[in-house]
Amino acid sequence: MDKQFNVIDLFSGCGGLSYGFQQAEYRISVALDNWDFALKTLKYNHSGVDIICDSISNVNPLNIKNEYNIDVIIGGPPCQGFSIAGKRIINDERNKLYKEFVKYVAVIRPKIFLMENVPNLASMGNGVILESILSDFNKIGYKLNWKILKASDYGVPQNRRRFFLIGTQNKIFDFNALSIYKTKEITSKEAISDLPEGDIKPEDGYPIHPLSEYQVEMRKESLGIYNHITTKHTEKTISIIKMVPDGVITKIYRYIFKKREMLILHGQG
């Protein structure tokens, strides 16, 4: 990369999105969130980042624009109001944080922005919500493209799906370009089969040799296993868990979500 682009991470939390951009050699200049403990974690892992611990609505984006030469805005704004259907859904009071994200893009005018959210965002309200979001960003002159990506396609041992919206000032971003980063799926066994059955402290190191290429990679620059406290299930609980087919829990959650959305559509939520 000829120029190291400057990034502001809105609703940064502990810096998950920041970490990916940092790996791609972007400079994380500013992180904004109102959760102090999460920001302490971000600061520990991202040296040189200016931390702003405050509500986004209390911070003037014009001040950010004047103080930093921001090229990229990233973030996953909370969108609790997006589950209520109707033409005015985007104006729901609970979506004011999403509106703040739009305002930051409008004021700072980054070369590119990335907004991340739940995959259901694309289908809620029969598409009315997504249509409203795209309209908001189109009005301020951004060319848009979106896609639902699955973490397991990119080397993460988790079937986690997330909605990504990318806006640019010029050429529309082509999600097909990400195909070069796709990897084979990593199974849960490949990921965690080296973890011991009992509790362990970081200073104990790794009691088991790595059993897969993934584990070898994950151990690089790691001094030990952190936060490994195991649950001691009874034999009865273990036998019940074994009877649950793969994917059942996911289907249950999808059913509950759909049921809730239908209740809201009919004014019962």
Side-chain angles (χ1 to χ4, degrees):
M1 184 181 294
D2 295 333
K3 175 184 180 296
Q4 195 170 36
F5 293 108
N6 296 317
V7 179
I8 180 170
D9 189 350
L10 304 177
F11 313 99
S12 64
C14 61
L17 275 178
S18 289
Y19 182 67
F21 274 79
Q22 188 182 59
Q23 284 186 312
E25 298 184 6
Y26 287 72
R27 179 189 294 110
I28 311 302
S29 300
V30 195
L32 194 162
D33 203 294
N34 65 351
W35 189 6
D36 182 52
F37 285 113
L39 288 172
K40 286 179 179 177
T41 300
L42 186 148
K43 185 69 174 178
Y44 179 83
N45 291 301
H46 300 281
S47 60
V49 179
D50 285 352
I51 302 293
I52 302 176
C53 185
D54 203 343
S55 169
I56 191 172
S57 57
N58 294 336
V59 182
N60 189 338
L62 188 58
N63 294 339
I64 299 293
K65 180 178 181 179
N66 292 335
E67 187 171 351
Y68 303 93
N69 183 25
I70 297 297
D71 301 293
V72 183
I73 293 179
I74 63 175
C79 303
Q80 296 93 332
F82 284 173
S83 60
I84 301 176
K87 290 294 182 182
R88 298 177 185 174
I89 173 60
I90 209 69
N91 296 319
D92 188 290
E93 176 64 19
R94 292 171 297 174
N95 288 335
K96 63 182 180 181
L97 295 178
Y98 152 72
K99 287 292 189 179
E100 290 290 338
F101 188 98
V102 177
K103 183 171 75 174
Y104 266 69
V105 174
V107 172
I108 295 175
R109 305 296 301 174
K111 295 179 175 64
I112 185 170
F113 74 83
L114 181 148
M115 191 184 90
E116 172 266 346
N117 217 282
V118 295
N120 305 79
L121 189 65
S123 58
M124 288 178 185
N126 294 319
V128 170
I129 295 166
L130 179 57
E131 182 182 330
S132 298
I133 291 172
L134 297 179
S135 176
D136 274 357
F137 286 115
N138 274 320
K139 286 175 183 176
I140 57 177
Y142 278 84
K143 300 181 184 301
L144 309 169
N145 201 2
W146 65 272
K147 191 175 180 65
I148 294 173
L149 300 176
K150 189 168 66 171
S152 58
D153 286 338
Y154 301 93
V156 179
Q158 185 182 48
N159 279 330
R160 183 177 178 84
R161 299 164 64 252
R162 300 297 287 182
F163 169 92
F164 289 91
L165 170 65
I166 293 179
T168 60
Q169 291 189 9
N170 300 307
K171 185 179 179 181
I172 294 176
F173 179 79
D174 182 9
F175 276 96
N176 290 327
L178 299 180
S179 61
I180 62 172
Y181 299 107
K182 285 193 173 184
T183 64
K184 74 178 186 70
E185 290 191 349
I186 306 298
T187 65
S188 297
K189 183 176 181 179
E190 289 175 291
I192 63 175
S193 58
D194 62 334
L195 295 178
E197 293 186 9
D199 300 348
I200 189 171
K201 298 177 182 178
E203 56 267 28
D204 295 331
Y206 287 89
I208 300 174
H209 291 296
L211 305 174
S212 68
E213 292 181 7
Y214 180 85
Q215 292 169 10
V216 171
E217 184 66 25
M218 291 302 101
R219 290 189 186 193
K220 289 181 179 178
E221 300 182 17
S222 174
L223 301 177
I225 303 173
Y226 288 78
N227 306 314
H228 184 62
I229 302 172
T230 57
T231 300
K232 295 176 175 59
H233 291 301
T234 64
E235 287 300 323
K236 181 179 179 181
T237 300
I238 294 173
S239 64
I240 292 173
I241 293 173
K242 287 180 177 179
M243 290 189 290
V244 179
D246 290 343
V248 166
I249 301 300
T250 300
K251 290 179 181 178
I252 291 173
Y253 276 114
R254 285 177 181 170
Y255 172 80
I256 293 172
F257 183 89
K258 189 65 178 177
K259 190 73 173 177
R260 180 173 179 269
E261 187 176 10
M262 291 304 296
L263 287 172
I264 290 169
L265 280 168
H266 292 88
Q268 301 175 43

